[in-house]
């Protein structure tokens, strides 16, 4: 550890007792290993989440996948290859329309469902640890509250906008008023179709017709111009390129827009130590608050961890008055765009981690819509594309995604004596600690811990020993 300014110190708590599941509500079906992190480096946390761990405040947990009622698979999105889907675009257009015109959607279908977070170790930070109470007399948890706002509700980032709207239903059975008798009684204001107007048509059909007219006009113009007047050979009509994620996220609004949406980002308190690297992002590594301000008023706050190879979404909460804007889904899209921005400064930072994918819980499957994405194999810790994983999860809640029967955990620590521990304020290998504590009975626990965190972390992280 010579030369390192920071290190990781944890206490391990095992995972024998079951507790209430926040997804299926099983009272004793949720099982996970847990650690209390007094301090942690970003590299150690990167290695831990790549082995299925996840932090909730200073509590770091890893579901016991073959035992827990709702297996939680770590999911990551390839941010550079991400293309917004139709539902993603709908969410961004909805927010843009609200900012520019002040139109706030009122439909219930557009609101994101609220999830209970107490009683579960889910992919958002809990206000308290809901496992067996964790007591750490040696170190006081000094984590501060983000803000005191009783009107704000903590939520999962749900994508509830995938369902088609009623305006997209078929119009085949609709009869034009112009086809009816001319002696039809006049329609009352606000009721029925206006007989003085042409029948309604789909926007897609109108766009197609306008595009065809433009092509015809362009072709006529080209045919009527001599080669002397047009020395450059005519090129085929280029189809318009689809708008990128950045086109939506960083859209410019006119000065007379109804609202102003601003963003602020700053370091926040967490177990992760803030770090800076010459080849890293300009903002550095660590935990950051992202404030969403509407006309100067905070309407949402998100927390992200910027790590060596990814941006990891921790949680988001927003004001319920703006639930219909789908701020949870919008923040995920904005964080993907932010990951792409950071990658330009740090090439290896190219993934966006969405927490856990829970296939057995239908409302948590939305995370699989951010593609391309991978799920972490719970046995070999290899990343496998979600397309290959879904057929297995349809047949079984728990699945080993790596199809190589001979593959195993390549980073398992074979010699528990090499695990690093902290004893009486001194760092030492577990082998040295065992010699000092003759008759120590914690070897099985340390062996379990070392197997879960892997060789790299076991040889770097200080496991606190009383």
């Amino acid at each position: 550890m010579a030369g390192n300014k920071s290190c990781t110190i944890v206490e391990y708590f095992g995972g024998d007792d079951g507790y209430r599941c926040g997804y299926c509500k099983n009272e004793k079906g949720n099982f996970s290993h847990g650690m209390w992190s007094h301090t942690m480096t970003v590299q150690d946390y990167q290695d831990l989440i790549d082995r299925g761990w996840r932090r909730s405040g200073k509590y770091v947990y890893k579901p016991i996948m073959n035992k827990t009622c709702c297996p939680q698979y770590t999911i990551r999105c390839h941010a550079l290859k991400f293309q917004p889907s139709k539902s993603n675009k709908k969410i961004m257009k909805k927010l843009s329309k609200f900012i520019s015109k002040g139109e706030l959607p009122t439909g219930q279908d557009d609101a994101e469902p609220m999830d209970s977070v107490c009683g579960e170790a889910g992919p958002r930070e809990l206000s308290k640890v809901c496992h067996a109470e964790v007591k750490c007399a040696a170190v006081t948890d000094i984590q501060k509250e983000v803000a005191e706002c009783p009107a704000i509700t903590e939520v999962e980032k749900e994508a509830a906008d995938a369902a088609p709207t009623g305006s997209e239903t078929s119009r085949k059975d609709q009869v034009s008023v112009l086809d009816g008798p001319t002696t039809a009684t006049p329609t009352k204001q606000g009721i029925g179709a206006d007989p003085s107007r042409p029948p309604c048509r789909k926007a897609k059909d109108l766009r197609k017709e306008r595009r065809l007219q433009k092509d015809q006009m362009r072709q006529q113009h080209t045919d009527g111009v001599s080669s002397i007047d047009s020395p450059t050979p005519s090129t085929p009509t280029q189809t318009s390129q689809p708008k990128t994620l950045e086109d939506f996220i960083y859209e410019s609004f006119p000065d007379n827009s109804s609202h102003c949406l601003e963003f602020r980002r700053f370091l926040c308190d967490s177990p992760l130590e803030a770090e800076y690297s010459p080849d890293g992002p300009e903002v550095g590594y660590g935990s950051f608050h992202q404030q969403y301000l509407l006309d100067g008023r905070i309407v949402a706050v998100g927390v992200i961890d910027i790590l060596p190879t990814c941006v990891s979404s921790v949680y988001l909460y927003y004001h319920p008055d703006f639930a219909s804007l789908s701020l949870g889904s919008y923040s995920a899209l904005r964080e993907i765009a932010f990951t792409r921005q950071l990658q330009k400064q740090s090439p290896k930072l190219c993934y966006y981690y969405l927490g856990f994918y829970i296939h057995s819980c239908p409302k948590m499957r939305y995370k699989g819509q951010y593609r391309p994405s991978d799920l972490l194999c719970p046995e070999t810790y290899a990343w496998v594309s979600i397309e290959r994983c879904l057929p297995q999860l349809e047949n079984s809640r728990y699945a080993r995604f790596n199809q190589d029967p001979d593959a195993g955990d390549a980073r398992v620590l074979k010699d528990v004596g090499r695990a690093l521990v902290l004893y009486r304020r001194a760092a030492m290998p577990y082998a040295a600690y065992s010699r000092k504590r003759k008759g120590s009975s914690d070897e099985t626990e340390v062996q379990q811990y070392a197997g879960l965190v892997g060789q790299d972390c076991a040889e770097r992280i200080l496991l606190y020993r009383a």
Side-chain angles (χ1 to χ4, degrees):
M1 290 197 346
N4 286 350
K5 295 182 179 180
S6 59
C7 63
T8 300
I9 302 175
V10 301
E11 293 184 60
Y12 176 66
F13 296 105
D16 297 329
D17 298 328
Y19 55 95
R20 187 175 185 272
C21 175
Y23 302 108
C24 70
K25 312 306 178 184
N26 188 318
E27 292 297 331
K28 294 291 183 180
N30 203 346
F31 291 85
S32 68
H33 301 280
M35 300 188 296
W36 187 263
S37 173
H38 299 298
T39 181
M40 182 170 290
T41 67
V42 292
Q43 184 59 61
D44 285 338
Y45 187 53
Q46 177 73 70
D47 291 343
L48 286 174
I49 63 174
D50 285 338
R51 292 183 66 85
W53 292 84
R54 180 80 173 158
R55 81 175 183 90
S56 175
K58 293 194 174 185
Y59 187 73
V60 189
Y61 62 98
K62 174 180 169 62
I64 303 178
M65 301 292 282
N66 58 357
K67 187 177 181 181
T68 191
C69 54
C70 296
Q72 303 163 50
Y73 300 90
T74 301
I75 182 171
R76 71 179 186 184
C77 171
H78 295 253
L80 302 185
K81 300 178 181 179
F82 173 79
Q83 293 291 337
S85 65
K86 184 178 180 180
S87 61
N88 297 149
K89 294 177 182 178
K90 177 183 175 183
I91 291 170
M92 292 184 283
K93 289 178 180 178
K94 179 171 57 177
L95 185 66
S96 297
K97 187 175 183 180
F98 170 69
I99 295 173
S100 60
K101 299 182 180 180
E103 299 178 9
L104 185 65
T106 58
Q108 294 294 326
D109 291 340
D110 288 324
E112 296 176 321
M114 305 294 181
D115 273 337
S116 170
V117 291
C118 186
E120 67 178 276
R124 293 291 182 270
E125 182 176 0
L126 314 183
S127 58
K128 62 180 180 179
V129 177
C130 299
H131 295 56
E133 185 177 359
V134 178
K135 297 181 179 179
C136 301
V139 178
T140 302
D141 179 15
I142 60 171
Q143 185 172 13
K144 300 177 181 178
E145 294 294 332
V146 175
E148 296 180 0
C149 185
I152 290 180
T153 307
E154 186 175 344
V155 299
E156 289 289 348
K157 288 183 177 177
E158 298 291 345
D161 302 274
T165 62
S167 62
E168 295 175 354
T169 56
S170 174
R171 303 177 185 266
K172 291 182 179 179
D173 297 330
Q174 295 182 1
V175 179
S176 170
V177 177
L178 298 179
D179 294 334
T182 56
T183 58
T185 57
T187 58
K188 295 182 179 180
Q189 185 175 4
I191 301 178
D194 186 350
S196 65
R197 294 176 177 271
C200 297
R201 300 173 61 189
K202 289 186 177 181
K204 183 172 66 174
D205 295 336
L206 292 173
R207 289 195 299 269
K208 186 183 298 183
E209 182 177 312
R210 285 196 296 267
R211 188 163 56 246
L212 181 60
Q213 292 174 350
K214 288 181 180 179
D215 291 343
Q216 291 175 345
M217 292 176 61
R218 188 181 295 108
Q219 185 63 38
Q220 292 173 359
H221 178 72
T222 302
D223 293 342
V225 177
S226 65
S227 58
I228 299 177
D229 294 331
S230 302
T232 306
S234 60
T235 57
T237 303
Q238 295 182 353
T239 58
S240 58
Q241 294 296 324
K243 293 178 70 173
T244 66
L245 176 62
E246 285 75 11
D247 291 334
F248 287 101
I249 293 294
Y250 304 120
E251 179 181 0
S252 298
F253 295 98
D255 295 336
N256 61 347
S257 295
S258 299
H259 298 286
C260 176
L261 185 63
E262 301 174 278
F263 304 88
R264 295 177 185 171
R265 185 179 301 109
F266 52 90
L267 279 168
C268 63
D269 183 64
S270 87
L272 299 185
E273 297 289 334
E275 299 180 22
Y276 297 88
S277 173
D279 59 349
E282 294 178 1
V283 296
Y285 301 108
S287 298
F288 294 80
H289 280 154
Q290 295 198 116
Q291 290 183 345
Y292 295 69
L293 295 93
L294 183 65
D295 302 328
R297 171 192 181 192
I298 297 178
V299 296
V301 178
V303 170
I304 59 172
D305 293 332
I306 300 180
L307 304 175
T309 65
C310 76
V311 169
S312 176
S313 179
V314 183
Y315 70 84
L316 172 103
Y317 57 89
Y318 57 74
H319 199 291
D321 287 354
F322 302 96
S324 60
L325 290 177
S326 305
L327 291 176
S329 299
Y330 175 79
S331 68
L333 296 168
R334 191 167 190 89
E335 288 167 5
I336 292 175
F338 181 53
T339 304
R340 288 151 69 131
Q341 180 182 343
L342 295 179
Q343 193 274 338
K344 296 178 181 178
Q345 305 167 11
S346 181
K348 63 181 180 179
L349 202 164
C350 57
Y351 295 105
Y352 175 65
Y353 283 50
L354 296 96
F356 287 133
Y357 175 81
I358 308 171
H359 193 78
S360 59
C361 181
K363 68 179 179 180
M364 294 300 293
R365 295 183 183 181
Y366 75 94
K367 295 184 179 182
Q369 298 174 3
Y370 296 88
R371 307 224 180 151
S373 58
D374 306 316
L375 298 184
L376 188 68
C377 177
E379 296 182 12
T380 66
Y381 303 111
W383 292 101
V384 181
S385 65
I386 193 170
E387 289 84 359
R388 291 174 50 192
C389 302
L390 293 181
Q392 294 177 264
L393 294 176
E394 287 293 332
N395 296 324
S396 174
R397 293 191 174 198
Y398 174 76
R400 170 193 165 106
F401 301 136
N402 193 325
Q403 298 300 304
D404 183 358
D406 298 324
D409 180 4
R411 302 304 301 167
V412 65
L413 181 65
K414 299 178 181 179
D415 181 8
V416 68
R418 295 174 58 87
L420 204 59
V421 301
L422 179 64
Y423 177 61
R424 293 183 177 178
R425 298 190 178 184
M428 63 188 73
Y430 179 74
Y433 164 78
S434 297
R435 291 192 293 268
K436 289 179 176 288
R437 291 287 305 272
K438 294 181 179 179
S440 175
S441 59
D442 62 355
E443 182 174 350
T444 301
E445 177 184 307
V446 176
Q447 181 75 58
Q448 183 184 56
Y449 152 82
L452 293 169
V453 302
Q455 179 179 343
D456 297 331
C457 286
E459 294 179 351
R460 286 196 313 257
I461 294 177
L462 294 173
L463 176 64
Y464 178 78
R465 298 284 88 185

